[in-house]
Amino acid sequence: MSKNDGSKDERSKLQEHAGQRKQKEKQRRKPDRRIRRTCERLGSALVALIQERPIDDVTVQDVLDRASVGRSTFYLHFRDKDDLLLSQLEKFLETMSTALSIRKEESHRVVPVAELFAHIGSQKKLYRALADSGRLNDFFDLAQGYFARGIEQRLTESKRLSNLPQRELGARASALAGSILSLLRWWLGRGAKESPRAMDELFHRMVWNGLQ
């Protein structure tokens, strides 16, 4: 099996987890504080471990030992290591993609680009770990959907495109989500030379100039 085939298998596995997690979330009530803390400990343990060694070398037991959580508790909330990793990626993307709407920021921004780039720029080890394991495309695939929904909400809230049919608004939001992720890849690929704030200004110039 080629390395690319392995990456595709991993991607299919995580995408399968994504569908199952969405179904599970529909059936699950809002977790209490104790459960949230436990899940956060497990997530933090996994993130720390995959910055120390290859993801595929990290076991569920390693995570349990680092988080001081029992095996039965782990499997009550997650199917396996990839399910836990997916939950961490989704939590981050949900936070970033909805941040502006949740805090009702009164600005022209549709994505908190400065915050997004600053955070990812400070997590180079984690980014590299995802890339080396073939899971980076999973992150970008997930991010596309999250940011498309977040951008569509911001465009709707701005009322600057109130005359557009909903279908076209959704299409534009999806295109802009792809643009922000392409810009992120470009920025990281060049060594993150520009400041996150400068990238925020650049992206939003492209957004509004392109929508006029």
Side-chain angles (χ1 to χ4, degrees), residues 41-200:
R41 282 165 55 196
L42 288 167
S44 296
L46 177 61
V47 169
L49 284 164
I50 64 180
Q51 295 180 80
E52 298 171 2
R53 68 186 84 157
I55 294 178
D56 292 329
D57 292 346
V58 176
T59 66
V60 169
Q61 189 61 53
D62 292 331
V63 176
L64 299 180
D65 292 342
R66 179 68 63 93
S68 298
V69 172
R71 183 171 290 270
S72 60
T73 300
F74 177 91
Y75 287 111
L76 183 63
H77 304 292
F78 304 103
R79 289 185 57 194
D80 52 27
K81 175 184 66 183
D82 283 315
D83 195 22
L84 175 59
L85 175 60
L86 180 65
S87 76
Q88 296 305 294
L89 298 180
E90 290 184 321
K91 184 168 70 173
F92 170 71
L93 291 170
E94 176 71 17
T95 298
M96 280 293 174
S97 64
T98 61
L100 300 180
S101 292
I102 287 177
R103 68 185 183 225
K104 302 185 187 307
E105 180 175 308
E106 295 183 1
S107 75
H108 69 289
R109 299 199 303 165
V110 296
V111 180
V113 177
E115 296 91 324
L116 173 66
F117 280 41
H119 183 83
I120 292 180
S122 70
Q123 298 291 325
K124 290 186 175 65
K125 281 188 178 181
L126 179 58
Y127 186 87
R128 176 49 54 191
L130 292 174
D132 290 345
S133 69
R135 291 171 172 85
L136 187 58
N137 284 332
D138 298 321
F139 171 77
F140 281 104
D141 287 346
L142 286 171
Q144 172 70 32
Y146 275 94
F147 284 116
R149 290 188 292 274
I151 291 171
E152 182 172 358
Q153 183 174 352
R154 284 292 287 177
L155 292 177
T156 299
E157 291 168 354
S158 76
K159 299 185 173 24
R160 293 178 67 173
L161 303 173
S162 57
N163 293 328
L164 281 183
Q166 192 64 37
R167 182 175 180 179
E168 183 174 341
L169 191 66
R172 293 193 183 209
S174 181
L176 290 172
S179 295
I180 187 61
L181 297 174
S182 293
L183 193 61
L184 177 60
R185 286 180 184 269
W186 176 85
W187 183 68
L188 291 169
R190 296 179 70 253
K193 297 177 182 178
E194 297 79 8
S195 72
R197 184 171 296 280
M199 298 307 295
D200 195 308

